[in-house]
């Protein structure tokens, strides 16, 4: 085989490789072109928490109401996770980093009502809108878990 033919074969091979690889670097992949940042959704900035199992929220909430609902969830989690035999005399402390609110839970008592385990309690909530004392009651539903039966400001 002559030198010209060898050079031509090598040149052709290099040229084919260059064309093949240039398709990878050009970014003209149909899948990549179909992906856009608009496909990423942002989490709902106004979460709602149901006060009873399986109820759907029927209205949007403002920021203040949303913060109270998030704090209600935090209080419920503290009340339901508490080991009643190990609660200190001054009660439990709770804090919600998302809202900046905090407080304490006192007078925590458990009972069985209509076949459900329920816990009653008092809770304080210190937030940007002041300090509020609440009376609350949570119950354990076998289908959905713990839910807030009531959480009302003490007047």
């Amino acid at each position: 085989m002559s030198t010209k033919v060898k050079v031509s074969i090598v040149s052709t091979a290099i040229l084919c490789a260059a064309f093949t690889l240039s398709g990878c670097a050009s970014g003209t992949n149909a899948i990549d072109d179909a992906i856009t940042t608009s496909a990423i959704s942002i989490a709902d900035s106004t979460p709602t928490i149901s006060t009873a199992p399986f109820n759907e929220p029927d209205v949007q909430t403002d920021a203040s109401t949303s913060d109270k609902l998030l704090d209600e969830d935090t209080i419920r989690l503290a009340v339901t996770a508490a080991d009643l035999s190990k609660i200190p005399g001054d009660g439990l402390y709770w804090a919600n980093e998302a809202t900046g609110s905090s407080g304490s839970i006192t007078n925590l008592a458990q009972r069985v009502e209509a076949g459900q385990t329920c816990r009653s309690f008092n809770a304080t909530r210190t937030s940007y809108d002041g300090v509020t004392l609440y009376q609350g009651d949570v119950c354990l539903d076998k289908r959905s878990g713990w839910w807030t039966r009531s959480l009302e400001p003490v007047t």
Side-chain angles (χ1 to χ4, degrees):
M1 196 180 287
S2 72
T3 306
K4 286 185 180 184
V5 173
K6 287 182 187 177
V7 170
S8 176
I9 292 174
V10 171
S11 298
T12 304
I14 291 172
L15 190 57
C16 286
F19 282 126
T20 302
L21 293 175
S22 69
C24 294
S26 69
T28 59
N29 185 337
I31 293 173
D32 289 340
D33 291 343
I35 297 173
T36 64
T37 57
S38 64
I40 299 171
S41 65
I42 304 298
D44 184 4
S45 63
T46 57
T48 57
I49 299 169
S50 178
T51 58
F54 306 113
N55 282 358
E56 290 294 321
D58 52 356
V59 294
Q60 286 291 334
T61 57
D62 62 14
S64 175
T65 303
S66 179
D67 284 355
K68 287 178 183 175
L69 291 172
L70 290 170
D71 290 343
E72 174 187 316
D73 193 40
T74 303
I75 292 168
R76 182 180 62 246
L77 289 172
V79 167
T80 60
D83 181 346
L84 299 181
S85 67
K86 297 181 180 179
I87 296 176
D90 58 348
L92 302 171
Y93 178 77
W94 69 272
N96 185 338
E97 287 184 26
T99 64
S101 302
S102 63
S104 61
I105 299 166
T106 57
N107 302 327
L108 184 55
Q110 183 168 299
R111 69 188 186 291
V112 175
E113 184 177 314
Q116 285 188 330
T117 300
C118 296
R119 291 183 174 185
S120 57
F121 59 93
N122 292 335
T124 60
R125 176 180 179 260
T126 304
S127 67
Y128 60 87
D129 59 355
V131 178
T132 308
L133 174 64
Y134 292 90
Q135 272 187 319
D137 199 41
V138 296
C139 293
L140 180 59
D141 183 277
K142 292 178 183 175
R143 297 169 297 159
S144 62
W146 288 97
W147 62 281
T148 303
R149 183 174 176 185
S150 67
L151 186 62
E152 300 295 327
V154 176
T155 54

